[in-house]
Amino acid sequence: MANSAALLHSLLSTAWTPRRRLDRASATRLAPSPGPPCRSRRPTRSVRSMASSTTAARADAAAPGLKEGIAGLYDESSGLWESIWGEHMHHGFYDSGEAASMSDHRRAQIRMIEEALAFAAVPDDPTNKPKTIVDVGCGIGGSSRYLANKYGAQCSGITLSPVQAERGNALAAAQGLSDKASFQVADALEQPFPDGQFDLVWSMESGEHMPNKQKFVSELARVAAPGATIIIVTWCHRNLAPSEDSLKPDELNLLKKICDAYYLPDWCSPSDYVKIAESLSLEDIKTADWSENVAPFWPAVIQSALTWKGLTSLLRSGWKTIKGALVMPLMIQGYKKGLIKFSIITCHKPQAAIEGEPEAASPRV
């Protein structure tokens, strides 16, 4: 796998530089990049752990250009991802230690959805199954359409990417689900929904993009109906030991390189999410580390990028996508070091508002 990662890095670094002549379609999507190839145009930020109790509750505001960078990344890369991996833009779930073949990976992505639902004990009986679902950070809507089919529910997806929202709606129409699944451009930290609207609040690998984790979870809780299930599947850094105040310098440096490529703000730990959920009086809070269960995923993505279709598609997609491909080996390194944790956090909104507090109230951040 190390040889494959090195080969990918060598091929992309040699085949592409910011001075490469671009076709007109690509040029319209790319900002000028006069600096070194892996340097982001957005303001440089130091990456730090959010693990202290005060930091988790008072996360920084988004760096200038963060939302635009996220939208641009997915505007560029979503078509490439769909052409190779299909409509589900997230990790697959594998048995621990499983040696997966390429044919297993799309099935593993469906399994990820089912494992998350089972972990959260989402009911599927006709009386109690979810009837309204929000998919926060929906990609091109793979989860939404799957859940709409599974439960017969009304699903609303939000994304920062206009390309993703348009493609999600097109796929819903093609699959005969326009009356069940719809997608729009919206900010997860300022969702365009009234309080208490959804029976199931779903966030599959979008939390890592949120610059304010407290506000993120607060919004999930706000739009959740009383008794609703909230499911967050996200990238985290490891929990700190009692003697630690922050991650180690080499760990922070590794995360910074990943952040620069994928437009990620500060990372947090699973325990930070638990503390936030507790501060919002959410109930039945559970978390699990599924890092071993996603271990075959990133090597498989690198292998798919080394095919002729993968390489040519990457080179046509745009510089943001190229940068993401170049740091894929760092994701593998982070998992192997135990630094990156693939985490699930689930909880329920109380059936009734906490006495003395308005329903769905969020603490000031």
Side-chain angles (χ1 to χ4, degrees), residues 133-136 144 154-158 180 182-183 193 197-198:
I133 301 171
V134 63
D135 185 355
V136 180
S144 293
Q154 295 289 331
C155 296
S156 300
I158 59 172
K180 292 291 185 182
S182 63
F183 306 94
F193 308 115
Q197 181 166 339
F198 299 104

Side-chain angles (χ1 to χ4, degrees), residues 138-178:
C138 61
I140 59 172
S143 292
S144 293
R145 290 184 298 276
Y146 183 85
L147 295 170
N149 265 322
K150 180 180 178 69
Y151 296 117
Q154 295 289 331
C155 296
S156 300
I158 59 172
T159 172
L160 290 174
S161 164
V163 169
Q164 287 187 335
E166 181 179 2
R167 183 58 179 158
N169 285 317
L171 287 170
Q175 296 171 18
L177 290 170
S178 292

